[in-house]
Amino acid sequence: MTGGEYLALLERSPKLAHEKLFGEYYNYVRTIAFNRLRSTGTTEDIEECISDIFAQIFFTFGEKYSNGDMKGFVGTVAKRMSIDYYRKLVRKAGKTFSMDEDGVPEISAELDLVKESENSELRHILMDSIRELGEPDSTILIQKYYYNKRSHQIGTLLSMNPSTVRMRCKRAAEKLRRVLENRGIKEGMI
């Protein structure tokens, strides 16, 4: 959906426009919010952030955005609001940065930046390894384990039989395990 199409639908039926936008971009927004907040927030925090993101989109979208790509606008709002929520949750949890007497930043002991960095690197390696599997295996694994979709839903998406999806998922998971082992990543590290 383009910005112009959304704006035209918004003028005809705001409720229908909001429903269509939500249906089309929910997974995209959820992925952005989940990736930013999963280390600090609860499921409720993530869902609250998603709701606020869509509210912000509904209230701020107007003529000045109608010429551009809707996905870009939605992604920008989602990223900015997810970062704001992350900061709010970090402050709420008491994870702060302060300065010592020399003006050098001290990091609260509650933040384990090394571990967070390692986890980020492992996630990148995992996604690269999944992409290496090729299609449709990479899509099947991402839909199954990242979006928690069932075999029949993935089958509909890929025009495949659910039993074929289950078989390919099992084989793809085994291939992924071997690829990760070749990269030095063992079970339980991710």
Side-chain angles (χ1 to χ4, degrees):
M1 171 188 324
T2 66
E5 291 169 340
Y6 175 70
L7 195 57
L9 186 58
L10 188 62
E11 289 173 2
R12 285 195 318 267
S13 172
K15 183 179 185 218
L16 184 61
H18 295 327
E19 288 173 358
K20 185 165 172 84
L21 182 80
F22 186 82
E24 189 168 332
Y25 291 105
Y26 175 79
N27 284 337
Y28 179 57
V29 169
R30 185 181 186 286
T31 300
I32 292 169
F34 179 78
N35 282 337
R36 173 57 60 193
L37 301 175
R38 68 177 160 202
S39 64
T40 57
T42 64
T43 303
E44 291 81 21
D45 293 328
I46 294 169
E47 291 300 322
E48 180 182 336
C49 180
I50 292 168
S51 296
D52 287 350
I53 289 168
F54 277 104
Q56 183 72 16
I57 292 167
F58 298 152
F59 292 129
T60 60
F61 187 82
E63 284 288 329
K64 68 180 182 176
Y65 301 112
S66 64
N67 294 332
D69 177 32
M70 193 70 182
K71 187 173 185 177
F73 175 74
V74 170
T76 300
V77 172
K79 287 173 190 165
R80 289 179 180 169
M81 290 195 71
S82 295
I83 290 169
D84 289 345
Y85 260 75
Y86 175 80
R87 289 177 181 151
K88 181 177 93 174
L89 291 171
V90 167
R91 276 194 306 271
K92 184 177 168 186
K95 299 175 182 177
T96 59
F97 298 91
S98 60
M99 302 285 193
D100 67 6
E101 64 239 9
D102 297 325
V104 176
E106 292 179 339
I107 300 172
S108 171
E110 293 178 41
L111 287 177
D112 189 348
L113 296 179
V114 173
K115 184 174 182 178
E116 195 170 312
S117 176
E118 288 172 355
N119 287 341
S120 177
E121 182 63 25
L122 286 172
R123 283 192 298 271
H124 285 290
I125 291 170
L126 177 62
M127 287 308 293
D128 288 342
S129 299
I130 289 172
R131 285 186 195 104
E132 281 179 23
L133 298 176
E135 291 298 333
D137 293 345
S138 60
T139 299
I140 290 171
L141 288 178
I142 289 170
Q143 293 294 321
K144 174 105 174 135
Y145 296 107
Y146 196 70
Y147 292 113
N148 293 323
K149 296 229 173 138
R150 293 195 157 93
S151 297
H152 73 278
Q153 293 170 311
I154 300 169
T156 301
L157 178 72
L158 298 174
S159 301
M160 296 174 89
N161 188 317
S163 62
T164 305
V165 170
R166 284 189 290 276
M167 180 184 63
R168 288 199 73 124
C169 184
K170 182 178 177 183
R171 289 179 183 167
E174 183 58 33
K175 277 198 288 188
L176 178 61
R177 186 185 61 73
R178 286 192 304 269
V179 167
L180 290 172
E181 281 179 356
N182 290 339
R183 289 185 168 193
I185 311 290
K186 298 197 178 0
E187 250 181 84
M189 290 179 73
I190 295 182

